[in-house]
Amino acid sequence: MLAIEDIHVSYGRLRALKGISLTVAKGEIVCLIGPNGAGKSTTLAAIAGGVAASKGHIKLEGQDLAGVRPETIARMGVSLVPEGRHVFGTLSVAENLRVGTYMRADRSAVAADIERVLAMFPRLRERITSPAGRLSGGEQQMLVIARALLTKPRLLLVDEPSLGLAPKIVDQVYEILLAARQQEGLTLLINEQSSHRILKHADRIYVIRNGHIQLEGKAADLADGEAIKRAYFGFGEAASGDANEEEDAA
Ligand SMILES: Nc1ncnc2c1ncn2[C@@H]1O[C@H](COP(=O)(O)OP(=O)(O)OP(=O)(O)O)[C@@H](O)[C@H]1O
Ligand SMILES: [Mg+2]
């Protein structure tokens, strides 16, 4: 469904992506794991059309996205859930969800789709009239994912859904993403800083560091975490690295 071939992205003189290649097959859940500043968000932004690659290709079902505007890429079925759970804090959960439907032409299907999404997120239904700003972090993460699902994406890009959430809530968020894949035929590319709870939910993993892909593999093959740790910190650094830092990342 998605094929990224050797893309380079710079912000002025800073080279953020130095030749990233990755693929996501239809129906897969692929996680891009890497430390702060590795280039994870930049990769998602490049796919969604927010930043331009100076070199390389991004192809969505064979179509090159170079020069295609973000709105057009969204209409082609790509939805980005940015980092930071941007909800409209004073609007209710219901109003936040309706925002996800503004772009759609099939107005008559909207009510049924909101109903279907709420069936997937019972917690949001309970809080449907609450201002979104009053929700917990986990609930806000579910709300931004639910809102993105209402744009009817085929490819959902999610930037660090786990950030700052309790482990149990992280699992709940992933269970919903897995259910969405099942029910909506969704394909997912998800950024995370840590692989610890993610390996059991993802199909494949890429480790990115310093603008390069360091490691790629099936989540099942990487389950012991050792290869990921080495790629994440770099080979030399892993041996002499700060034990606490490794603890945090793993
Ligand atoms: N808008 C920007 N302008 C200038 N430099 C940027 C911009 N966005 C990111 N960068 C730089 O590009 C590099 C990659 O950043 P990016 O945000 O893609 O990393 P990340 O893996 O998402 O990190 P994090 O885990 O902190 O979100 C970093 O060195 C970062 O400082
Ligand atoms: Mg980021």
Side-chain angles (χ1 to χ4, degrees):
M1 161 161 258
L2 179 74
I4 299 182
E5 297 159 14
D6 192 34
I7 57 162
H8 294 245
V9 173
S10 297
Y11 299 103
R13 286 171 59 189
L14 187 136
R15 295 171 62 212
L17 302 185
K18 305 166 187 169
I20 295 286
S21 298
L22 64 84
T23 60
V24 186
K26 188 170 174 358
E28 259 194 320
I29 299 189
V30 173
C31 275
L32 185 58
I33 295 167
N36 255 302
K40 303 181 298 293
S41 298
T42 302
T43 303
L44 296 194
I47 299 165
V51 296
S54 58
K55 184 170 174 253
H57 297 280
I58 301 176
K59 290 181 181 163
L60 184 69
E61 285 172 336
Q63 184 178 345
D64 200 317
L65 297 182
V68 182
R69 290 177 13 198
E71 311 85 83
T72 310
I73 294 173
R75 238 174 268 122
M76 290 165 78
V78 177
S79 181
L80 169 64
V81 179
E83 188 186 327
R85 304 178 194 131
H86 300 288
V87 298
F88 299 98
T90 58
L91 299 187
S92 70
V93 168
E95 287 161 339
N96 270 272
L97 288 176
R98 281 198 288 276
V99 171
T101 68
Y102 284 162
M103 254 181 53
R104 286 175 47 174
D106 54 340
R107 304 304 310 167
S108 58
V110 164
D113 282 343
I114 289 185
E115 184 52 38
R116 208 183 61 248
V117 165
L118 285 176
M120 228 184 283
F121 295 85
R123 188 71 193 133
L124 292 183
R125 194 195 294 279
E126 285 167 27
R127 311 221 48 189
I128 194 78
T129 57
S130 303
R134 298 263 182 84
L135 302 183
S136 70
E139 289 164 349
Q140 288 184 354
Q141 187 62 56
M142 297 201 190
L143 178 55
V144 292
I145 291 169
R147 191 170 67 195
L149 290 178
L150 287 169
T151 68
K152 294 226 150 181
R154 289 181 299 152
L155 175 63
L156 187 64
L157 312 171
V158 193
D159 202 351
E160 299 206 37
S162 300
L163 197 70
L165 299 184
K168 208 178 79 187
I169 309 296
V170 172
D171 286 341
Q172 283 175 16
V173 168
Y174 271 85
E175 274 150 28
I176 282 169
L177 290 172
L178 286 158
R181 162 176 63 179
Q182 190 76 18
Q183 288 170 33
E184 320 264 311
L186 203 60
T187 302
L188 287 137
L189 178 60
I190 305 172
N191 283 353
E192 290 286 6
Q193 272 195 33
S194 148
S195 61
H196 182 55
R197 303 195 79 74
I198 308 314
L199 279 166
K200 64 180 175 204
H201 301 297
D203 296 316
R204 280 191 308 120
I205 303 279
Y206 289 86
V207 178
I208 181 173
R209 181 166 52 85
N210 194 20
H212 293 283
I213 298 291
Q214 307 286 343
L215 176 72
E216 183 219 327
K218 288 189 180 149
D221 295 339
L222 300 170
D224 72 2
E226 279 309 312
I228 293 181
K229 213 180 253 186
R230 284 199 303 277
Y232 195 102
F233 293 106
F235 287 95
E237 297 150 34
S240 62
D242 177 342
N244 288 330
E245 200 184 349
E246 292 192 17
E247 224 22 54
D248 288 347

